[in-house]
Amino acid sequence: MAKELLELLKTRRSIRKYKAEQVKTEELDAVLEAGTYAPTGIGAQSPVIVAVQDPETRELLSRMNAAVMGTESDPYYGAPTLIIVLADPERGTWVEDGSCVLDNMMNAAHALGLGSCWIHRERQMFDSPEGKDLLKTWGLPETLRGVGSIALGYPDGAAPEPKPRKPGYIVKIEKSRQ
């Protein structure tokens, strides 16, 4: 495995402060494409990725997510781009599939010098009548469920330091040597 890939995985952090500058089209497209190469159960590619750069839609999503949390603050930390991942709950691996898509996109964003942060509560958002209306507006099936989203943008400041890895994180079961 290339040392660069391992370093990339070790240094990616959740970013919670973004510049107002919108993500460039080429960079957004690269992040989105990385999501399409995530592993999915039996290769079904069941998730749907929705990229939002329209300020009005972004603010609506922020209000919806904040309402689930019971707050008025922006759950997306001011990021100018949001990427929503939805999936078909009829697939037995819909949550895992969508999670892999989100992970691929966060790692791709980091490789491009972008910041990202996994944001939760999309399931509640898109299970709501308002969320179902959004799906209809976007031409998507109302049966899709939210897996999660990514706040995406250019970091405004340094990435946080990593927390120490917990003891017992890894357990190895090796062949006994008799």
Side-chain angles (χ1 to χ4, degrees):
M1 191 178 315
K3 288 182 184 178
E4 295 82 15
L5 176 58
L6 288 174
E7 192 59 26
L8 178 77
L9 295 173
K10 288 180 180 180
T11 58
R12 193 209 69 78
R13 295 284 166 267
S14 293
I15 302 300
R16 292 180 174 86
K17 187 176 181 190
Y18 298 88
K19 295 178 181 176
E21 177 186 354
Q22 189 55 267
V23 175
K24 293 179 181 89
T25 301
E26 317 79 63
E27 293 170 330
L28 176 59
D29 289 347
V31 169
L32 296 171
E33 183 179 21
T36 69
Y37 283 91
T40 59
I42 64 169
Q45 302 176 33
S46 65
V48 174
I49 304 166
V50 179
V52 177
Q53 290 190 309
D54 169 58
E56 193 174 302
T57 304
R58 188 235 176 267
E59 289 309 311
L60 171 62
L61 292 167
S62 179
R63 285 192 305 274
M64 289 172 66
N65 194 306
V68 174
M69 279 195 324
T71 185
E72 292 185 14
S73 64
D74 178 18
Y76 301 106
Y77 303 104
T81 299
L82 307 180
I83 302 175
I84 310 289
V85 175
L86 307 154
D88 178 359
E90 294 296 313
R91 303 278 328 148
T93 57
W94 71 281
V95 172
E96 293 84 354
D97 294 349
S99 297
C100 287
V101 168
L102 288 158
D103 187 53
N104 264 28
M105 291 190 296
M106 289 186 297
N107 286 321
H110 179 52
L112 294 168
L114 295 167
S116 67
C117 187
W118 181 312
I119 308 298
H120 207 52
R121 294 169 296 279
E122 276 64 26
R123 188 165 311 155
Q124 296 93 324
M125 290 168 57
F126 289 96
D127 282 353
S128 75
E130 190 174 20
K132 298 290 183 198
D133 286 345
L134 262 180
L135 293 174
K136 273 195 267 185
T137 299
W138 295 340
L140 296 172
E142 291 178 58
T143 55
L144 291 175
R145 299 200 63 204
V147 176
S149 68
I150 295 173
L152 184 71
Y154 300 103
D156 187 5
E161 289 296 317
K163 293 179 181 177
R165 302 298 94 175
K166 69 179 183 178
Y169 210 147
I170 298 169
V171 176
K172 285 183 168 181
I173 310 299
E174 298 178 319
K175 182 178 177 182
S176 61
R177 300 175 189 175
Q178 298 175 347

